[in-house]
Every structure is written in C-alpha cells, then in structure tokens.
Amino acid sequence: MQCIGRPDLASDPALADNSGRVARVRELDQAIGQWAQQLTVAEALAALEKAEVPAGKIYTIADIARDPHYEARGMLQEVQIADGTPLAVPGFVPKLSLTPGRHRRNAPTLGQDTDAVLREVGLSETQIAELRKRGVVA
C-alpha cells in the first residue's frame, strides 16, 4: 500500500491479515484501481517491481500474438478453416513429450453435426427433417 501512496492502509492493523483484507476487499480494490488508472501498464509494473510486489501483466490476445515466448512454445497454431482461410488457434497445454497434443479437427460449423447427434439419440430421418423444417435445429 506504500507503493500506491496509501500509507494509511499499509499501517492499518485491521488489514494485517487476510481476513481483514477480505472484509475490506472493495475498499482495497478501489484504492489500487485509482492508483493504477493514472499509470501505463509498464509504469505500474515498474513501480510494483521496485516495491518488491509480485505482479505481472494480464495479456490481451494482441499481447499473446506478439509474444516471442508464446510463439517459441507453439502456443498459437495456424489451422485452415473450411474455406481455406488461415486461423490462429490456441496451442495445446500441457506440453507432453511422449503424448503431445495435436490439432485433429476444426470446431464444427453451426449444424454440421446436428444430424449425426440426433441419430445417435434415436431420432429418425423423418423426425430430424421435421425439426429442421420447424427451425428447431440448424
């Protein structure tokens, strides 16, 4: 709390343990938020590092796409959707040496597997056609 310019909170005995902090979480979140709104992410992280407060940036999708570590770990993989358009998708976690994950199939398009699923639960072709005609399924 010293780092954010709130020595009053840093020295408050009611906040000395977790139960006290939990009881006043909204007040603490507000104080931290007001401090952080005045800074860039880099400035906030630098201040927290200087104060020896463990902290890290919460990545946006754009941050992930630009991060060389994500790329080196294969955390973004390119697949092609049905029309041939390339699409970046999340890589597989955890990274296992003996049984590595791999991309086997794109997510189905809307309705792509409807008939198969409905047949599997016992519906006839006539019933499926009626559901499709009434707009119940795609």
Side-chain angles (χ1 to χ4, degrees):
M1 291 295 132
Q2 297 287 357
C3 175
I4 70 166
R6 292 295 305 269
D8 57 311
L9 295 175
S11 62
D12 188 333
L15 299 173
D17 62 29
N18 194 51
S19 62
R21 292 187 292 272
V22 168
R24 292 171 56 188
V25 70
R26 287 184 186 190
E27 176 187 359
L28 296 172
D29 281 351
Q30 184 178 22
I32 294 166
Q34 287 173 345
W35 170 77
Q37 285 178 339
Q38 302 171 46
L39 305 171
T40 66
V41 172
E43 291 168 339
L45 289 173
L48 292 168
E49 183 177 348
K50 183 177 178 184
E52 298 182 352
V53 175
K57 180 178 179 176
I58 298 173
Y59 271 24
T60 65
I61 296 301
D63 294 328
I64 290 170
R66 286 190 299 263
D67 189 297
H69 184 72
Y70 273 78
E71 183 179 346
R73 296 276 299 148
M75 297 313 303
L76 290 174
Q77 297 180 346
E78 189 173 290
V79 300
Q80 285 193 351
I81 59 176
D83 68 2
T85 303
L87 176 68
V89 298
F92 292 90
V93 176
K95 299 291 186 191
L96 303 174
S97 58
L98 297 179
T99 56
R102 64 181 175 86
H103 181 85
R104 291 186 207 118
R105 174 183 173 200
N106 291 341
T109 58
L110 180 63
Q112 179 178 332
D113 295 333
T114 299
D115 288 1
V117 170
L118 294 176
R119 281 187 211 105
E120 189 175 313
V121 298
L123 273 66
S124 69
E125 295 301 321
T126 303
Q127 290 170 312
I128 294 170
E130 180 61 26
L131 291 174
R132 185 164 277 108
K133 179 181 170 187
R134 292 180 16 218
V136 174
V137 296

